[in-house]
């Protein structure tokens, strides 16, 4: 079992994220994963730096920890040719420590370039084309592509690593999991659903299975839950809401009725290691072997110390 630390780019500025990444490596985490957003989910989170700049700085200041995007959308805000180049460069400057997590995105981040965020079936078709373009460019040489939604004209990535970064594909349902198995090197999910792993494998997928474990660390449960309610209540809305709302103000309105009890049902709150391990166990049982700890609590450094002393061993034991 590999354990990762989620860098909450919506909640912290770039220098703090870099500092946390260095501290996470020192605390014993195997990798750090950063969200790639243009906006935060809520205005009071207050941040959303450019993930690729942050990752480059982290690569320069760490030695062992892997780096993961969790996840990048390569269909609207970015053209896949651009992120294919970015991923190849980051793989080089990190000495092969980068994993390229990709997904079909959210309106929150993609509408900012003035293009309509399409219906889900169109997004899936665009996403397939984007993955095909990334794979094509990673073969080297000049490449062109003519898709229904995306095009590539006589493009070449000149700096490619000898070993390409794993392309880990996010899936919220069986159709996306099959796409991950067909065109990806790994699976990324936020729910402990065995059917996602099964669909991925049935489509020929192998490689790492990433999942995020929601928790909020503080010395007591109520303090932890209150912090998560303030900054992370959007997470209880579910993917059909999270993918469609356009701005932080909409998420604030949509979550006005979320209460502390709702947070406690969706996050492992407090400082009981057994509770956090219990929250992670369903993911391990579903077949996920890379667990990303998403801490919505108020004290990142306290959580990192807690991880080292109380969580590292028990979580790794979930891998059998």
């Amino acid at each position: 079992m590999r354990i990762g630390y989620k860098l909450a780019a919506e909640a912290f500025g770039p220098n703090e994220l870099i500092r946390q990444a260095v501290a996470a490596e020192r605390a014993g985490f195997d990798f750090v994963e950063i969200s790639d957003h243009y906006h935060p989910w809520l205005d009071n989170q207050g941040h959303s730096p450019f993930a690729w700049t942050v990752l480059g700085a982290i690569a320069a200041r760490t030695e062992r920890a892997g780096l993961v995007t969790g996840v990048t959308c390569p269909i609207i805000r970015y053209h896949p040719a651009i992120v294919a180049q970015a991923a190849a460069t980051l793989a080089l400057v990190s000495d092969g420590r980068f994993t390229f997590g990709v997904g079909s995105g959210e309106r929150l981040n993609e509408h900012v370039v003035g293009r309509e965020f399409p219906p889900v079936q169109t997004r899936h078709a665009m996403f397939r084309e984007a993955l095909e373009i990334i794979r094509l460019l990673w073969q080297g040489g000049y490449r062109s592509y003519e898709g229904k939604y995306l095009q590539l004209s006589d493009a070449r990535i000149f700096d490619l690593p000898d070993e390409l970064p794993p392309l880990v594909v996010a899936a919220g349902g069986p159709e996306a999991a099959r796409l991950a198995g067909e065109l990806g090197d790994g699976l990324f999910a936020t729910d402990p659903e065995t059917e996602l792993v099964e669909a991925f494998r049935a489509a020929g997928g192998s490689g790492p299975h990433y999942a995020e474990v929601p928790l909020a660390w503080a010395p007591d449960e109520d303090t932890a839950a209150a912090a998560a309610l303030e900054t992370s209540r959007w997470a209880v809305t579910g993917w059909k809401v999270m993918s469609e709302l356009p701005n932080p103000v909409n998420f604030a309105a949509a979550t006005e009725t979320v209460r502390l009890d709702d947070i406690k049902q969706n996050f492992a709150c407090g400082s009981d290691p057994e509770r956090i391990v219990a929250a992670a166990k369903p993911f391990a049982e579903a077949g996920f072997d890379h667990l990303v700890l998403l801490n919505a609590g108020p004290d990142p450094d306290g959580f990192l110390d807690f991880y080292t002393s109380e969580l590292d061993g028990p979580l790794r034991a979930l891998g059998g």
Side-chain angles (χ1 to χ4, degrees):
M1 183 66 71
R2 308 287 283 178
I3 311 298
Y5 177 81
K6 184 64 181 273
L7 295 167
E10 305 82 15
F12 300 100
N15 291 323
E16 172 60 14
L17 292 170
I18 296 163
R19 187 196 69 81
Q20 287 185 26
V22 172
E25 180 181 66
R26 188 167 57 246
F29 282 92
D30 298 306
F31 62 95
V32 295
E33 176 201 302
I34 189 169
S35 47
D36 185 355
H37 283 196
Y38 197 88
H39 288 155
W41 298 99
L42 297 170
D43 279 331
N44 66 355
Q45 289 182 293
H47 297 279
S48 199
F50 188 54
W52 295 88
T53 302
V54 176
L55 285 171
I58 292 171
R61 300 186 193 186
T62 55
E63 298 178 355
R64 174 190 55 80
L67 313 174
V68 185
T69 48
V71 293
T72 291
C73 175
I75 62 174
I76 298 177
R77 178 169 48 111
Y78 300 126
H79 189 280
I82 302 304
V83 290
Q85 181 191 35
T89 299
L90 191 54
L92 287 168
V93 301
S94 66
D95 296 321
R97 290 184 285 139
F98 178 58
T99 295
F100 190 19
V102 291
S104 57
E106 311 94 5
R107 188 183 301 271
L108 174 73
N109 304 298
E110 304 309 310
H111 82 280
V112 299
V113 294
R115 293 177 58 189
E116 177 58 33
F117 192 60
V120 62
Q121 292 303 320
T122 302
R123 297 201 300 269
H124 285 171
M126 294 176 70
F127 189 42
R128 173 180 287 276
E129 291 186 4
L131 296 181
E132 290 174 349
I133 287 172
I134 292 167
R135 289 292 193 199
L136 186 64
L137 285 167
W138 283 358
Q139 292 176 23
Y142 287 94
R143 300 290 177 174
S144 296
Y145 180 96
E146 187 66 33
K148 181 177 180 180
Y149 303 101
L150 297 169
Q151 290 77 43
L152 184 71
S153 179
D154 213 21
R156 175 183 173 186
I157 297 175
F158 277 80
D159 290 289
L160 286 170
D162 292 335
E163 184 174 345
L164 294 167
L167 189 63
V168 176
V169 178
E175 180 181 349
R178 287 189 289 270
L179 177 61
E182 181 183 345
L183 292 175
D185 301 310
L187 175 69
F188 187 102
T190 56
D191 295 311
E193 296 181 2
T194 304
E195 68 172 346
L196 298 178
V197 175
E198 292 173 346
F200 172 72
R201 292 175 177 169
S206 61
H209 300 47
Y210 286 79
E212 292 183 347
V213 181
L215 63 97
W217 186 87
D220 65 275
E221 182 183 25
D222 286 344
T223 299
L229 178 66
E230 181 180 359
T231 64
S232 303
R233 61 186 183 275
W234 50 268
V236 308
T237 60
W239 185 245
K240 289 185 177 180
V241 173
M242 290 166 59
S243 64
E244 297 298 339
L245 296 182
N247 284 307
V249 65
N250 303 107
F251 280 95
T255 56
E256 285 182 351
T257 60
V258 176
R259 299 292 180 259
L260 275 179
D261 285 345
D262 301 312
I263 295 296
K264 292 176 181 179
Q265 290 175 14
N266 286 273
F267 291 78
C269 296
S271 58
D272 181 355
E274 293 184 2
R275 183 173 182 183
I276 296 172
V277 172
K281 187 175 181 180
F283 292 95
E285 292 177 339
F288 292 94
D289 53 18
H290 286 61
L291 301 182
V292 186
L293 303 189
L294 195 167
N295 174 37
D299 181 4
D301 292 302
F303 170 67
L304 290 171
D305 290 341
F306 177 79
Y307 171 80
T308 302
S309 62
E310 302 289 343
L311 286 178
D312 185 84
L315 285 174
R316 294 186 188 282
L318 293 176

